[in-house]
Amino acid sequence: MPELLVPSEGYPFIASAEAQWLAVETLFLCRSKKLKFERTYLGMLSYYYKAWAMADFDEGNSLNAKTHYNILDKTEELRHDIRNPSKIVLDVILNDVQPLRMVLEAVLQGQSKEEAKKTVSDSLQRLDTMRGDFLKDPEFKEDLPRALKQTGTDRLDGLWRKYADILHYVILWRAGYQHARLSNDLEPVQGEQQAVDFLRERFASQKRTNPIKMKEPLYLRFVRASA
């Protein structure tokens, strides 16, 4: 069972649940941009540490200043690799994860993968969907997101292949983190195996003329950070 060990518990500068969801979004980012997960995740964490350390400085805790400075100096290169992390993650969510999530939901509603890709491709081109909302926004009117520029089924098929072993995290992100963000009640990442089992059962449904083959899933294993 392929897995990535993810230190997410025991940090003073980020809650365990938030670190876990940060890891999920980092996984999406790495898959989209072909980045190495461990280095990218550490870089994302270092932004949280920097904000925490700056707050400590502002409170006048000079005893910690040298420690903070040394850690920030050592992690500067990691942050340099990921400029404006919130924007780059949002771009990946908007351009990759959301269209793929739409395809997945259509499949789970009973469509074949080919039918689902065609349904989503058509939807992304209609003005009564999010395309219309973006065209009304002066900020995006002349520069639509990639998901709305490249709406063909070939791109959607490419997204499926690219994220094939982490489709369960696409489902979990939609069901868990997005809701939690709105309610300000962030729960730990959970239910990976149930999501995998659900997808596997629906993909292999006897009602399908051509059952969908599921790639061996990759799991994030959350562990305590070493001292």
Side-chain angles (χ1 to χ4, degrees):
M1 182 174 65
E3 61 182 21
L4 292 171
L5 294 181
V6 183
S8 60
E9 184 180 347
Y11 291 118
F13 53 89
I14 184 172
S16 177
E18 189 166 6
Q20 290 180 11
W21 285 110
L22 179 68
V24 172
E25 293 191 331
T26 301
L27 184 62
F28 294 154
L29 174 60
C30 291
R31 194 55 59 90
S32 178
K33 306 296 183 183
K34 297 181 179 179
L35 303 174
K36 292 185 177 180
F37 177 82
E38 182 177 1
R39 180 179 178 85
T40 306
Y41 177 63
L42 290 175
M44 299 290 272
L45 281 177
S46 74
Y47 275 97
Y48 282 80
Y49 180 86
K50 184 177 181 180
W52 178 72
M54 291 300 102
D56 209 26
F57 286 141
D58 291 343
E59 292 175 4
N61 295 326
S62 57
L63 292 177
N64 297 326
K66 185 176 181 180
T67 299
H68 290 328
Y69 177 80
N70 288 337
I71 293 176
L72 290 173
D73 185 54
K74 290 178 181 178
T75 56
E76 176 61 31
E77 187 176 346
L78 294 174
R79 289 189 298 280
H80 185 271
D81 289 348
I82 320 165
R83 296 299 178 90
N84 201 344
S86 58
K87 182 181 184 302
I88 194 172
V89 167
L90 181 60
D91 286 345
V92 169
I93 295 296
L94 179 62
N95 292 308
D96 284 11
V97 177
Q98 291 285 34
L100 180 57
R101 186 265 307 168
M102 293 167 67
V103 175
L104 262 175
E105 288 186 351
V107 167
L108 295 176
Q109 290 168 8
Q111 294 188 20
S112 70
K113 191 163 71 169
E114 295 305 314
E115 291 171 337
K117 288 185 294 183
K118 181 65 167 59
T119 296
V120 173
S121 176
D122 292 345
S123 176
L124 292 173
Q125 297 176 56
R126 295 205 317 265
L127 293 178
D128 61 343
T129 60
M130 65 178 180
R131 172 179 287 274
D133 294 333
F134 275 98
L135 288 173
K136 294 175 185 177
D137 189 329
E139 182 180 352
F140 293 102
K141 185 176 181 180
E142 304 300 330
D143 187 23
L144 290 175
R146 186 183 180 196
L148 297 179
K149 288 180 179 178
Q150 300 177 11
T151 59
T153 57
D154 286 348
R155 179 168 192 270
L156 295 172
D157 189 56
L159 290 177
W160 186 288
R161 292 196 305 272
K162 185 183 293 186
Y163 292 83
D165 59 338
I166 56 172
L167 293 176
H168 48 299
Y169 285 113
V170 173
I171 293 294
L172 290 175
W173 181 87
R174 167 67 172 174
Y177 192 35
Q178 193 175 46
H179 172 75
R181 271 182 161 171
L182 295 175
S183 65
N184 294 317
D185 184 21
L186 202 60
E187 297 290 337
V189 176
Q190 54 191 329
E192 292 101 318
Q193 190 59 56
Q194 291 93 323
V196 167
D197 292 343
F198 174 69
L199 290 174
R200 185 175 284 126
E201 187 274 329
R202 296 302 292 268
F203 287 177
S205 171
Q206 292 181 354
K207 296 179 182 179
R208 296 187 182 278
T209 305
N210 297 307
I212 300 170
K213 293 182 179 179
M214 187 168 180
K215 189 173 181 179
E216 184 176 15
L218 171 69
Y219 294 90
L220 299 176
R221 175 176 288 185
F222 301 110
V223 298
R224 187 170 184 81
S226 58

